[in-house]
């Protein structure tokens, strides 16, 4: 479709690269800046003049961060919560998406419209009763309080429904059914394999979304048992003035996701690009 | 002989039973597969939202629990408090300051990325990098950059011969600083959404425009942007839902986390938190939550009506329906 057209697809001028380089600089600079400050001696920050090179204090600052906040607990919690939520969202979304896309049952259209409509409801606004529910269940302070509300998303169900509708031919399901597979068997043998690319994408987005989430974990978790963003908040509350410490903590907290990004960033990009034109 | 007959009867029963099982399987499995969503959503999504209305009609303390039924008193009290109106103003101000520049910038970046670049993936990943940095971390970095006395941005302003700006004191500067954090995190993401839509535009259109003698800028404004309208509307709607609930960035902008000494940058969600967990007044916090919900519904409705009118005029390209995880969907 997109054949080379006179003029429009010619290589861009140099200034386009220049502009993109500026954008890239702006994307990267704040992260670099936090490392720059995070590696300084606190006293170096109070001297006039600009800093352009990292100091040698990053490790010392990082160790102080680990002493000040329950860093390892927070890191483990973030890993546990984000993985659990991602796995659960993918599992339930794939199951529901398979049913909505490929199985016939009464009320299917209505229920799917309901799912889509719930995407417009801002769940954050129910925090007060959600907190009441969690304290009745005795879950406040525990990771369950963060995991359970994240276990399903309307977006996930919709995403998998859309994907499976195109990606999985009906004939394939019929063939497996003819061979005597049960409903669950047909899901397992043809539904799941077909869903894999979309499931991987959904897992990635859910993982990042849960990892960076702050509001609800901040409300419901105990200070001694935080996720990383909540722990960062404690660091600021305790050491606002000492930016070398606070920003060393920031660097520590963003390293894991930057690593994920370096390895899987390409998938994230394709995920956004695909999602935006799927219809 | 009789043994054989008995065995046959048994296997017939067994086959009949497996038929029944299989019929049930076909009938009920779909409901079984979709039920986890509905059960969990009912418990943690729908019920809390409805229950918020119930709580908002009562005296309700964080520790003491449910008190007397007070009707609409909480709403009256909240609406008569100046902090409510300040936070409403701040929410809208920060929202506009973050969404408008973000759309414009993202469109421009998408246009750059849409040209025939070398190392496409590298540039796309580069602009997406801020997306994986948690808002809390972004807020901490920027509250240092926007420091009133020693911040880098004020240093630059002074070096350029300007007066230092009191980012943590004055209303509009604080809103600009917070909007910058939002824009930092989301502009590249939005740009990639626009880019995807741009790549779906048939290149023949550009060819025709070029033949008619239109320059690049003209082509962009007269062809690309109008064709992108559905996507732009979608991004506006989702960023409205997300933007009106902003909490992380203003919460982390200073140490106290209350949105400034005079609530210069307190947003509605921050206000809900202060009422509920600061003053332990769940009734009033719920009243504000419902007011915010109504505002969001109202704006979404207006958005929807406007976009439907626009969509009707651009029906042919309405096929570009975006389905992407956005700020509103966590």
């Amino acid at each position: 479709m997109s054949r080379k057209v006179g003029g429009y697809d010619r290589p861009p001028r140099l200034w386009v690269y220049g502009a993109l380089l500026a954008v890239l600089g702006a994307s990267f600079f704040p992260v670099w800046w936090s490392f720059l400050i995070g590696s300084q001696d606190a006293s170096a920050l109070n001297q006039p003049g600009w800093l352009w090179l990292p100091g040698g204090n990053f490790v010392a600052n990082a160790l102080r961060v680990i002493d000040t906040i329950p860093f390892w607990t927070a890191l483990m919690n973030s890993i546990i919560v984000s993985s659990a939520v991602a796995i659960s969202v993918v599992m339930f979304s794939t199951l529901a998406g398979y049913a909505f896309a490929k199985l016939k049952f009464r009320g299917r259209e209505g229920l799917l419209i309901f799912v889509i409509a719930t995407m417009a409801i801002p769940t954050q606004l129910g925090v007060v009763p959600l907190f009441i529910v969690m304290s009745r269940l005795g879950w406040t302070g525990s990771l369950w309080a963060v995991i359970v509300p994240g276990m399903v998303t309307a977006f996930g169900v919709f995403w998998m429904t859309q994907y499976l509708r195109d990606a999985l031919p009906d004939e394939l399901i019929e063939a497996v059914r003819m061979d005597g597979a049960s409903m669950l068997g047909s899901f397992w043998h043809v539904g799941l394999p077909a869903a894999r690319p979309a499931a991987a994408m959904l897992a990635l987005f859910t993982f990042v979304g849960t990892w960076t989430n702050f509001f609800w974990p901040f409300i419901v978790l105990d200070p001694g048992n935080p996720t990383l963003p909540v722990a960062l908040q404690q660091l600021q509350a305790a050491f606002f003035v000492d930016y070398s410490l606070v920003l060393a903590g920031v660097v520590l907290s963003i390293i894991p996701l930057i690593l994920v990004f370096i390895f899987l960033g390409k998938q994230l990009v394709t995920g956004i690009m695909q999602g935006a034109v799927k219809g | 002989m009789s043994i054989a007959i008995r065995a046959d009867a048994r296997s017939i029963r067994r086959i009949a039973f497996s038929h029944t099982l299989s019929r049930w399987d076909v009938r009920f499995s779909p409901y079984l597969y979709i039920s986890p969503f509905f059960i969990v959503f009912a418990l943690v999504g729908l019920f809390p939202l409805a229950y918020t209305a119930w709580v908002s009609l009562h005296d309700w303390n964080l520790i003491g629990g449910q008190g007397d039924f007070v009707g609409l008193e909480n709403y009256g009290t909240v609406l008569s408090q100046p902090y409510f109106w300040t936070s409403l103003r701040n929410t809208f101000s920060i929202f506009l300051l973050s969404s408008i520049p973000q759309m414009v910038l993202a469109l421009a970046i998408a246009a750059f990325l849409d040209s025939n670049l070398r190392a496409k993936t590298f540039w796309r990943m580069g602009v997406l990098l801020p997306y994986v940095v948690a808002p809390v971390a972004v807020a901490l970095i920027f509250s240092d950059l926007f420091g009133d006395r020693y911040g880098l941005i004020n240093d630059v302003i002074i070096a350029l011969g300007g007066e230092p700006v009191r980012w943590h004191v004055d209303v509009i500067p604080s809103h600009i600083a917070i909007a910058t954090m939002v824009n930092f995190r989301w502009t590249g993401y939005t740009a990639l959404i626009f880019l995807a839509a741009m790549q779906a535009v048939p290149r023949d259109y550009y060819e025709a425009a070029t033949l008619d003698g239109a320059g690049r800028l003209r082509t962009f404004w007269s062809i690309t942007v109008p064709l992108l309208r559905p996507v732009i509307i979608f991004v506006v709607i989702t960023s409205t839902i997300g933007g009106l609930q902003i909490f992380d960035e203003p919460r982390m902008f200073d140490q106290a986390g209350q949105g400034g000494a005079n609530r210069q940058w307190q947003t509605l969600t921050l206000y809900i938190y202060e009422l509920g967990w600061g003053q332990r007044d769940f009734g009033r916090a719920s009243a504000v939550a419902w007011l915010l919900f109504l505002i969001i519904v109202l704006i979404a409705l207006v958005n929807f009506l406007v976009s439907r009118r626009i969509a009707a005029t651009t029906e042919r390209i309405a096929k570009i329906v975006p389905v992407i995880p956005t700020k509103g969907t966590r």
Side-chain angles (χ1 to χ4, degrees):
Chain A
M1 178 200 78
S2 68
R3 103 195 116 88
K4 300 271 174 195
V5 174
Y8 206 83
D9 273 348
R10 70 169 185 261
R13 301 262 174 79
L14 214 56
W15 68 266
V16 172
Y17 283 106
L20 278 175
L21 213 58
V23 173
L24 221 62
S27 307
F28 188 70
F29 178 75
V31 176
W32 168 246
W33 178 258
S34 55
F35 177 65
L36 210 59
I37 301 295
S39 62
Q40 302 296 328
D41 189 299
S43 62
L45 293 180
N46 296 326
Q47 275 152 29
W50 291 358
L51 293 161
W52 295 115
L53 287 173
N57 258 27
F58 182 73
V59 174
N61 287 340
L63 290 175
R64 268 168 72 216
V65 168
I66 290 168
D67 275 347
T68 313
I69 55 173
F71 179 81
W72 297 115
T73 312
L75 181 65
M76 269 319 285
N77 284 347
S78 278
I79 293 171
I80 292 169
V81 166
S82 304
S83 313
V85 169
I87 290 168
S88 152
V89 164
V90 165
M91 199 169 72
F92 290 139
S93 299
T94 312
L95 260 177
Y98 179 72
F100 277 126
K102 292 295 160 185
L103 305 182
K104 290 182 185 68
F105 54 97
R106 286 182 62 173
R108 181 172 77 166
E109 288 311 307
L111 288 171
L112 184 60
I113 289 172
F114 178 81
V115 171
I116 296 168
T118 63
M119 284 202 279
I121 299 177
T123 44
Q124 272 202 6
L125 298 184
V127 281
V128 168
L130 192 57
F131 186 82
I132 296 173
V133 169
M134 290 302 159
S135 42
R136 289 263 167 86
L137 291 169
W139 286 358
T140 42
S142 91
L143 296 185
W144 289 113
V146 183
I147 294 172
V148 172
M151 274 170 62
V152 299
T153 58
F155 166 75
V157 173
F158 187 50
W159 166 274
M160 292 311 300
T161 305
Q162 293 286 94
Y163 184 82
L164 283 174
R165 202 170 263 168
D166 303 337
L168 179 58
D170 291 333
E171 295 78 25
L172 207 59
I173 304 173
E174 276 157 32
V176 201
R177 294 282 294 153
M178 296 288 259
D179 288 348
S182 66
M183 293 297 263
L184 198 60
S186 69
F187 168 75
W188 188 258
H189 290 296
V190 296
L192 213 52
R196 200 171 290 158
M201 223 74 96
L202 182 61
L204 202 53
F205 280 107
T206 313
F207 190 89
V208 174
T210 312
W211 187 283
T212 54
N213 201 7
F214 172 63
F215 185 47
W216 177 244
F218 170 65
I219 287 177
V220 84
L221 290 181
D222 288 336
N225 191 34
T227 56
L228 274 176
V230 180
L232 272 184
Q233 186 273 334
Q234 296 171 10
L235 195 62
Q236 186 214 30
F239 287 91
F240 183 64
V241 208
D242 190 351
Y243 266 112
S244 59
L245 190 67
V246 172
L247 290 184
V250 166
V251 173
L252 274 189
S253 82
I254 61 184
I255 286 173
L257 267 206
I258 299 262
L259 287 179
V260 169
F261 183 73
I262 289 170
F263 288 113
L264 300 170
K266 209 174 154 186
Q267 272 73 14
L268 268 173
V269 171
T270 26
I272 295 171
M273 302 277 295
Q274 269 186 3
V277 283
K278 259 193 100 54
Chain B
M1 179 75 183
S2 70
I3 295 171
I5 291 172
R6 229 184 294 149
D8 263 352
R10 199 188 296 150
S11 68
I12 287 169
R13 237 178 295 140
R14 197 181 297 144
I15 291 168
F17 180 62
S18 79
H19 268 244
T20 317
L21 265 188
S22 149
R23 235 188 14 248
W24 282 355
D25 190 16
V26 171
R27 244 177 105 182
F28 297 114
S29 288
Y31 296 105
L32 206 65
Y33 297 173
I34 63 171
S35 58
F37 171 80
F38 287 93
I39 292 168
V40 179
F41 178 74
L43 179 75
V44 301
L46 206 57
F47 167 73
L49 200 69
Y51 202 54
T52 304
W54 176 251
V55 175
S56 74
L57 300 174
H58 290 77
D59 267 336
W60 204 302
N61 186 280
L62 168 64
I63 312 286
Q66 185 173 1
D68 296 335
F69 180 84
V70 294
L72 294 176
E73 197 188 292
N74 284 326
Y75 289 87
T77 317
V78 165
L79 287 172
S80 68
Q81 279 177 355
Y83 283 164
F84 173 80
W85 298 103
T86 319
S87 57
L88 184 66
R89 175 202 68 186
N90 296 343
T91 304
F92 272 93
S93 164
I94 293 171
F95 165 64
L96 291 176
L97 282 171
S98 57
S99 58
I100 296 171
Q102 189 186 127
M103 296 288 151
V104 176
L105 262 174
L107 264 179
I109 294 171
F112 292 148
L113 289 173
D114 194 30
S115 50
N116 192 12
L117 293 170
R118 279 168 188 278
K120 285 190 174 73
T121 315
F122 168 76
W123 298 107
R124 290 176 187 173
M125 275 178 70
V127 300
L128 193 62
L129 172 72
Y131 170 69
V132 300
V133 183
V136 167
V138 173
L140 288 174
I141 300 171
F142 278 82
S143 66
D144 175 55
L145 289 172
F146 280 104
D148 286 11
R149 254 181 297 176
Y150 301 114
L152 176 71
I153 292 171
N154 268 350
D155 284 350
V156 172
I157 291 175
I158 293 167
L160 293 174
E163 285 287 305
V165 179
R166 300 186 299 168
W167 302 106
H168 288 78
V169 179
D170 296 331
V171 176
I172 295 297
S174 67
H175 295 183
I176 292 174
I178 291 165
T180 308
M181 302 171 193
V182 180
N183 291 336
F184 166 73
R185 185 148 187 270
W186 288 104
T187 302
Y189 189 98
T190 311
L192 289 182
I193 295 172
F194 288 155
L195 173 63
M198 276 180 195
Q199 298 203 323
V201 174
R203 298 276 144 162
D204 317 16
Y205 291 14
Y206 296 138
E207 186 180 17
T210 319
L211 286 177
D212 285 349
R216 278 212 175 198
L217 209 58
R218 179 69 204 275
T219 315
F220 181 71
W221 279 116
S222 309
I223 296 178
T224 315
V225 173
L227 285 174
L228 250 51
R229 227 178 266 169
V231 178
I232 295 175
I233 290 164
F234 173 83
V235 173
V236 168
I237 292 175
T238 52
S239 74
T240 309
I241 294 173
L244 293 182
Q245 297 181 75
I246 184 173
F247 177 84
D248 303 5
E249 293 88 350
R251 161 83 204 181
M252 303 297 288
F253 192 48
D254 74 354
Q255 191 176 14
Q258 292 188 317
N262 297 313
R263 307 297 191 269
Q264 303 96 305
W265 64 86
Q266 183 173 56
T267 58
L268 281 169
T269 311
L270 210 48
Y271 189 48
I272 292 173
Y273 179 78
E274 192 193 338
L275 287 175
W277 284 268
Q279 303 179 17
R280 299 176 175 182
D281 192 333
F282 270 10
R284 285 181 198 169
S286 297
V288 177
W290 253 90
L291 290 170
L292 178 53
F293 179 55
L294 292 179
I295 294 168
I296 290 175
V297 168
L298 197 74
I299 292 177
L301 214 64
V302 171
N303 263 329
F304 179 71
L305 292 177
V306 172
S307 62
R308 231 187 20 182
R309 287 195 83 157
I310 298 172
T313 64
T314 53
E315 216 169 327
R316 239 176 305 163
I317 36 92
K319 281 198 179 111
I320 309 169
V321 179
V323 185
I324 30 187
T326 42
K327 289 174 246 183
T329 53
R330 280 261 168 76

